[in-house]
């Protein structure tokens, strides 16, 4: 790096520290990874405004929120992630969709349930605007999971139906019966077991093979007399809480 000077050298040092942080994460040394991120930020804090400097700063702040998340410091993770709120208006819809999804996931883990639902709704609306069936499915399942866990089964059933509709447009989703099982369980909790049974049978007509199909078929075999322990096991299998990122951290890639 002897031939590299000034801002460019600072940016290179910041990226090297980010890489060092990733190495520490792989070794499960969160404290050292955090220190590397802070050191990297020091190299670019002195007014650097180039696109490369902004890129690494965004990456580092994102990674710091992940480290807070790993350490179960959820309030810090939420607050740090909201640094990106100021960029929403100037950013494109893809960035905004990912931003709101992660914010919602972090808020839910921080037990900010109402805020989490609002954030995920914002993310879902953007997925619809982008005509992304893939992300509509993912986000709808997250919302359905929250509503189910909050015992709002009518809303859970609605969002599982939206997830199923999105999956059917993808055509290659072998876990569609799993989503249908979440939908059916929501209806079961509402005392509408026969509707739930139809949901499962329709899903199996669309996707009759695979692990999820086997689980749904097994559930159907005892659907009108499900033992309590088995019902709980089905809930554990089918009901998913929202994740905190639409692609998995910790990574060195561009933040969308």
């Amino acid at each position: 790096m002897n031939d590299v000077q000034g801002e460019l050298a600072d940016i290179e040092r910041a990226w090297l520290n980010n890489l060092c942080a990733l190495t520490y994460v792989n070794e499960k040394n969160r404290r050292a990874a955090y220190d590397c991120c802070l050191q990297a930020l020091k190299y670019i804090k002195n007014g650097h405004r180039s696109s490369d400097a902004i890129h690494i700063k965004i990456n580092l702040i994102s990674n710091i929120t992940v480290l807070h998340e790993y350490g179960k410091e959820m309030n810090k993770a939420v607050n740090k992630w909201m640094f990106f709120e100021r960029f929403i208006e100037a950013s494109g819809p893809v960035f905004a969709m990912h931003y709101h999804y992660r914010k919602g996931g972090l808020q839910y883990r921080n037990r900010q349930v109402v805020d989490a639902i609002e954030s995920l709704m914002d993310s879902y609306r953007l997925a619809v605007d982008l005509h992304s069936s893939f992300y509509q499915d993912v986000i709808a399942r997250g919302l359905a999971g929250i509503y189910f866990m909050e015992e709002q089964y009518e809303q859970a059933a609605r969002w599982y139906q939206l997830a199923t509709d999105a999956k059917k447009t993808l055509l290659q989703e072998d876990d569609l019966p799993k989503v249908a099982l979440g939908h059916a369980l929501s209806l079961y909790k509402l005392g509408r077991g026969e509707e739930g049974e139809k949901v499962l049978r329709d899903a199996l007509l669309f996707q009759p093979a695979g692990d999820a199909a086997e689980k749904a078929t097994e559930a159907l075999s005892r659907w009108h007399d499900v033992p309590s322990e088995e019902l709980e096991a089905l809930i554990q299998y089918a009901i998913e809480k929202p994740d905190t990122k639409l692609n998995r951290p910790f990574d060195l890639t561009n933040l969308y």
Side-chain angles (χ1 to χ4, degrees), residues 70-253:
Y70 284 175
K72 303 188 186 306
E73 300 169 330
M74 300 312 302
N75 200 51
K76 288 182 178 180
V78 171
N79 291 336
K80 196 69 171 178
W81 183 250
M82 289 181 70
F83 166 85
F84 297 115
E85 193 89 27
R86 68 192 75 177
F87 301 118
I88 292 299
E89 288 188 10
S91 69
V94 175
F95 176 93
M97 178 183 68
H98 285 259
Y99 168 77
H100 288 301
Y101 184 84
R102 176 158 172 75
K103 183 171 75 166
L106 292 172
Q107 287 170 327
Y108 184 70
R109 293 192 183 185
N110 201 36
R111 298 309 301 153
Q112 299 169 250
V113 177
V114 174
D115 292 335
I117 290 172
E118 182 179 345
S119 296
L120 290 169
M121 292 279 197
D122 288 339
S123 186
Y124 183 81
R125 282 190 287 268
L126 287 161
V128 171
D129 291 343
L130 289 164
H131 305 289
S132 173
S133 296
F134 177 82
Y135 288 131
Q136 286 175 53
D137 164 37
V138 173
I139 300 163
R141 276 187 283 135
L143 279 161
I146 289 179
Y147 280 122
F148 191 98
M149 299 306 293
E150 295 300 313
E151 300 183 357
Q152 297 183 44
Y153 301 118
E154 193 77 52
Q155 286 286 1
R158 172 176 173 259
W159 283 99
Y160 276 124
Q161 180 62 63
L162 289 170
T164 300
D165 292 344
K167 278 189 174 298
K168 286 181 177 178
T169 69
L170 295 171
L171 300 178
Q172 296 180 332
E173 289 292 329
D174 62 2
D175 65 341
L176 187 147
K178 180 178 181 180
V179 179
L181 184 55
H183 187 182
L185 287 166
S186 302
L187 294 168
Y188 189 95
K189 287 286 190 177
L190 289 165
R192 292 154 56 186
E194 289 188 3
E195 290 181 56
E197 181 180 8
K198 184 178 185 306
V199 164
L200 287 177
R201 292 194 185 282
D202 288 348
L204 288 169
L205 287 174
F206 189 88
Q207 184 64 54
D211 293 342
E214 289 183 14
K215 198 78 172 180
T217 301
E218 182 183 344
L220 267 177
S221 68
R222 291 184 291 279
W223 187 248
H224 294 287
D225 188 25
V226 185
S228 58
E229 287 186 6
E230 186 171 333
L231 180 63
E232 186 59 35
L234 288 172
I235 290 170
Q236 290 293 323
Y237 169 75
I239 309 302
E240 298 175 316
K241 298 175 184 177
D243 206 341
T244 55
K245 208 170 184 185
L246 289 173
N247 67 330
R248 289 307 309 144
F250 188 106
D251 61 46
L252 295 176
T253 59

